[in-house]
Amino acid sequence: MPVSGLPEISIPRRLRAPAPGWTTTADVIVVGSGIAGLTTALRLRRRVARVLLVTKTVLDEGSTAWAQGGIAAVMSPEDSPAEHIHDTLVAGVGLCDVDAVEALVTEGPDAVWDLIALGADFDRGDTGQISLTREGGHHRDRILHAGGDATGREISRALIAALDRVRDDPGIEVIEHALVVDLLTDADERVCGVTLHVIGEGQVDGVGAAHARAVVLATGGLGQIYSSTTNPSVATGDGMAAALRAGAVLADLEFVQFHPTVLWLGEGSRGQQPLISEAVRGEGAFLVDEAGERFMQGQHPLADLAPRDVVSRAIITRMRETGTDHVYLDCRHLGADFLEQRFPSIVQRCRELGFDPATQLLPVAPAQHYASGGVRTDLRGRSSREGLYACGETSCTGVHGANRLASNSLLEGLVFARRIADDLTTRLGAGELPETTPVAPSGEPELIRGKRRLDVQRAMTAGSGTVRSASSLAATQETLAALAARAVGADADKQGGPKSWETTNLLHLGRALTYAAALRDETRGGHVREDFPARDDEHFLHHVHLQRSVAGALDARIVPVPQSNLDGLDLGAPVPVDVLDEDRAEGPGAAKPAARHTDSAKETEETT
Ligand code: SIN
């Protein structure tokens, strides 16, 4: 059902960019080179005549390579799909799609074995069996890891090595340093390609157009929308934003996961921050406040290993109670030898930054980590726009609901990439999705200057971040509207360039996310409202779907969760979360951010 009551938001159809100076064609364009993009492209390579894989910087630059903890899958005889499904549904607080979760969990082990056959080398015990650990929300050891805490890097290495082995194959072309600006659509609003900016040489340089029968968006998340995040700098939501502008449905955007244990580097730290994997708590580390008191015990049966949203909220509450901006992770009892062997990268990074986990408490606070929502897809990865698919963090398959279960994201990228490749193989083979001609998009293009990124991040962190309220969301929306007004007229960027395209993507997604958050007057999963601190199953067991109308307005639809997704699921009593705070840090109505930001003179002066 459509909803209203909030000020109308207008989203342009396209970003301002130079007219394409070159053209290329493929059957399928895959955008992004994390686990989702690479798996899709590799599986499609021999099945369709021409796959074009484009990635914004270099192949291993995205979020996949930063994943520490691992990939969840039922690999032990003591575990079962039913238990993994149950843990995923509980973490998702009633908003998961059961069919999507079943697909994830039941197809996951085979997909992981195929990854191993491809060359991914997961850690093994003395007898050669795969080592499994536990993370928040899991009741079984089911997290595979590699290099101790470098799981994503190993998966990325194995997939890129597989790609390198087939680089000479004419069936696949890879273009690096290629930022997708917008989606091309035909007269029937079918997606039929992308415009993209390539920093290249010769024929493929500057803005061009790539035409295809289908486009798969696997561009990762939107972490850079906040002042601090565990996501790399490339995570600017480019795919999600392009899909939004092209009229695809986005869902569950309000559910942003803030990872509980991100190393606190002080008030002035912003951008990508060092993650302390949940697996460290899985091995026995625990949280304490500044008085050294453990505070997770008694809050949840899993205590320090409760689902991520529960732990983050408990940390925020404790920080507010004690007037501090961080708590501590105590790993000292695990010992230097164990820590160095099990978590070599984390230990090294901490020591580089002046903290020794073997001898010191680590200061930690929540920071943005994962977008549980994204481009709404069905079980085959199809979006609401014909010809457009989305995969991995860019998508909203229904697997994560209101809060992603730890280490389910690499698995989701892997499983749904295979589903997408299989669906495209069938459809293209059957002559579906014929080649078609793009039409010029309607409306004026818009673009804000890249130097406005700090303003977007600050507004999002202050009012649409870890803790939100109606007034903080309204204040953020107002600031974003003022920034959007700069996308036209004298203040607009008239030429376009990577920094401004990315920043405008963040602005568009920030407006959509804040809009969705204002429509959810309750606290659930990654969405915390200080003015509605309890879960409200009577009124909010639904999804918020957002879609740009042909006229440019952002429309919201409320889509109830089917009863079949809730049968047998015990979510427990809705317990109000005590996150009220009178001492606002960022102006009227703004919720105090747990994450940090600063006025960096360099950033503020930055131009496109
Ligand atoms: C972590 O290692 O804590 C992050 C893993 C994940 O986000 O699933």
Side-chain angles (χ1 to χ4, degrees), residues 68-70 135 257 259 275-279 308 369 404-409:
Q68 294 178 347
E135 290 182 8
Q257 187 167 81
H259 196 290
L275 175 68
I276 310 295
S277 174
E278 207 160 55
R308 235 166 241 182
H369 184 60
R404 176 178 64 92
L405 183 67
S407 286
N408 265 356
S409 46

Side-chain angles (χ1 to χ4, degrees), residues 189-211:
E189 299 192 338
R190 278 187 34 194
V191 170
C192 56
V194 299
T195 54
L196 71 174
H197 175 264
V198 180
I199 303 169
E201 293 169 355
Q203 288 190 320
V204 181
D205 186 20
V207 173
H211 298 170

Side-chain angles (χ1 to χ4, degrees), residues 103-333:
L104 175 88
V105 167
T106 56
E107 295 170 25
D110 279 352
V112 168
W113 284 117
D114 282 356
L115 196 56
I116 292 169
L118 195 78
D121 189 10
F122 291 105
D123 294 338
R124 291 175 185 266
D126 296 342
T127 56
Q129 82 285 7
I130 291 173
S131 302
L132 299 171
T133 190
R134 201 172 290 212
E135 290 182 8
H138 292 270
H139 285 82
R140 292 276 182 201
D141 291 350
R142 62 168 76 98
I143 318 293
L144 295 90
H145 46 89
D149 54 8
T151 315
R153 193 151 295 287
E154 170 57 15
I155 291 174
S156 181
R157 183 207 61 75
L159 287 167
I160 292 170
L163 183 67
D164 283 342
R165 293 195 286 272
V166 298
R167 278 274 197 141
D168 293 339
D169 182 339
I172 190 160
E173 186 188 356
V174 179
I175 307 182
E176 292 179 302
H177 304 289
L179 189 159
V180 163
V181 180
D182 267 308
L183 292 166
L184 296 168
T185 44
D186 69 9
D188 296 325
E189 299 192 338
R190 278 187 34 194
V191 170
C192 56
V194 299
T195 54
L196 71 174
H197 175 264
V198 180
I199 303 169
E201 293 169 355
Q203 288 190 320
V204 181
D205 186 20
V207 173
H211 298 170
R213 296 167 68 186
V215 174
V216 182
L217 295 173
T219 57
L222 48 65
Q224 294 293 328
I225 210 167
Y226 293 104
S227 299
S228 81
T229 171
T230 61
N231 292 186
S233 60
V234 291
T236 51
D238 307 329
M240 276 187 222
L244 179 70
R245 289 190 294 272
V249 170
L250 271 60
D252 294 348
L253 275 190
E254 66 273 33
F255 297 112
V256 179
Q257 187 167 81
F258 289 82
H259 196 290
T261 53
V262 179
L263 196 63
W264 169 258
L265 297 178
E267 193 60 36
S269 296
R270 57 184 303 279
Q272 188 181 14
Q273 305 293 310
L275 175 68
I276 310 295
S277 174
E278 207 160 55
V280 179
R281 273 174 288 134
E283 299 289 359
F286 52 83
L287 291 157
V288 294
D289 65 13
E290 61 167 7
E293 194 180 313
R294 291 186 72 164
F295 56 88
M296 282 312 300
Q297 287 166 323
Q299 302 237 12
H300 188 278
L302 290 171
D304 293 85
L305 275 183
R308 235 166 241 182
D309 58 326
V310 176
V311 181
S312 285
R313 286 203 295 266
I315 292 176
I316 292 164
T317 303
R318 185 51 63 113
M319 292 193 312
R320 291 185 167 191
E321 284 165 359
T322 54
T324 53
D325 45 20
H326 58 272
V327 293
Y328 295 95
L329 187 67
D330 194 345
C331 329
R332 294 172 299 181
H333 56 290

